[in-house]
Structure formats: C-alpha cells, structure tokens
Amino acid sequence: MQKIDKIYFDIDVVIRATASPKEDVMALLRYCLDSYPGKIYWLTTHCRSGVNHTDFALRGEFPDEFVDELYAKVLPTEWGALKTDAIDMDSDFVWFDDNLFEAEKAVLEQNYVLDGFFKMNPRDPVMAKKALEFLKSFKD
Ligand SMILES: [Mg+2]
C-alpha cells in the first residue's frame, strides 16, 4: 500500500473511551477531514443497516460543532454481519479498529489486503498519535 484511497473508522474504544487524550483523537480526525475529504467512512455499530446514529454516539465527546462536522462529512456505510462487507476491497484503505474477527480477517486475507487493518489499542495513551503518524507517512 503506497497511497490511501479510503479511511474507515470504528468509534467505540477507537475514537471514544480510549486512553488517548481527546485532543489527540480530534487531531487525528481533523487531519483526515482536511487531507482526505470525501474519503472517510464510519465502520461502527452506530452506523449500519441504513441507520446512522454516529452523532448520538459522539455527542458530548467532542464540541458540538465538531460532532456536526463529522456527521456531515464522514460517510455512512451499510454492513450486517461483517464489517468487511462495507469495505471496498479494490481500494487502498486504512481501517482503524480495536478488534478484528476471524471471519473478517479471513476476508481481508483472501483479498490480500490484511495490511489495510490498523489495530487501535484502547489502553495505549499515544495510540491516536501513532495513527496520525502512520497517515502522515503517506503524504511525504
Ligand atoms: Mg470498537
């Protein structure tokens, strides 16, 4: 993977309820909004099967204007059993999530895109910073 076409974000224990400071999480999201407009997607239980409740999930977590901006700019996905159902396997993507099920891992492997999965450790206080550094490494 040498470029990034799409970025997928989980929410729980990835961008909320993590050990990373909120300002670091916001910096990560800010960078994505500014550098990858129209290429960021929710991949979370708060957005699935045609409903998008990500604004409820994030309200109170970040300033209201930022929650509204995320709701307006981060694109919804539709998935059912597996999050990989929503991932464009033909794209160069990064998928930020704390968890990868065996069935999802198998799908990524079958498509030779396991390197698109970026595991977010919720107990690592510099996790959001590491994720941002990873993204910035593609823009040099
Ligand atoms: Mg999660």
Side-chain angles (χ1 to χ4, degrees):
M1 189 168 63
Q2 291 173 355
K3 60 182 172 58
I4 296 172
D5 298 323
K6 300 185 178 186
I7 301 174
Y8 297 95
F9 271 104
D10 183 25
I11 287 184
D12 290 322
V13 306
V14 170
I15 68 171
R16 77 169 185 182
T18 82
S20 295
K22 281 184 192 185
E23 52 266 36
D24 290 353
V25 177
M26 285 181 69
L28 170 63
L29 292 167
R30 181 79 263 155
Y31 180 83
C32 291
L33 290 169
D34 293 343
S35 303
Y36 296 96
K39 299 177 176 179
I40 316 165
Y41 296 82
W42 292 129
L43 199 50
T44 159
T45 50
H46 302 288
C47 179
R48 68 191 296 187
S49 306
V51 295
N52 184 354
H53 290 155
T54 55
D55 53 338
F56 286 101
L58 295 176
R59 194 71 63 191
E61 192 72 20
F62 304 122
D64 280 350
E65 319 84 71
F66 194 58
V67 174
D68 292 341
E69 184 181 4
L70 289 169
Y71 192 75
K73 294 182 178 174
V74 181
L75 302 165
T77 57
E78 291 210 22
W79 59 283
L82 301 179
K83 286 183 173 178
T84 44
D85 292 347
I87 291 180
D88 177 0
M89 296 292 164
D90 294 325
S91 69
D92 287 315
F93 66 84
V94 180
W95 170 18
F96 293 109
D97 209 303
D98 59 295
N99 184 48
L100 182 64
F101 290 112
E102 277 305 316
E104 293 168 334
K105 186 180 179 188
V107 173
L108 295 182
E109 284 175 341
Q110 282 156 18
N111 287 276
Y112 303 99
V113 291
L114 186 59
D115 65 340
F117 182 80
F118 190 103
K119 188 172 177 64
M120 297 288 279
N121 178 355
R123 293 189 250 344
D124 183 350
V126 292
M127 198 68 243
K129 279 194 167 127
K130 288 177 183 169
L132 180 55
E133 280 168 23
F134 176 75
L135 290 178
K136 283 184 172 174
S137 73
F138 287 87
K139 284 265 175 170
D140 290 339

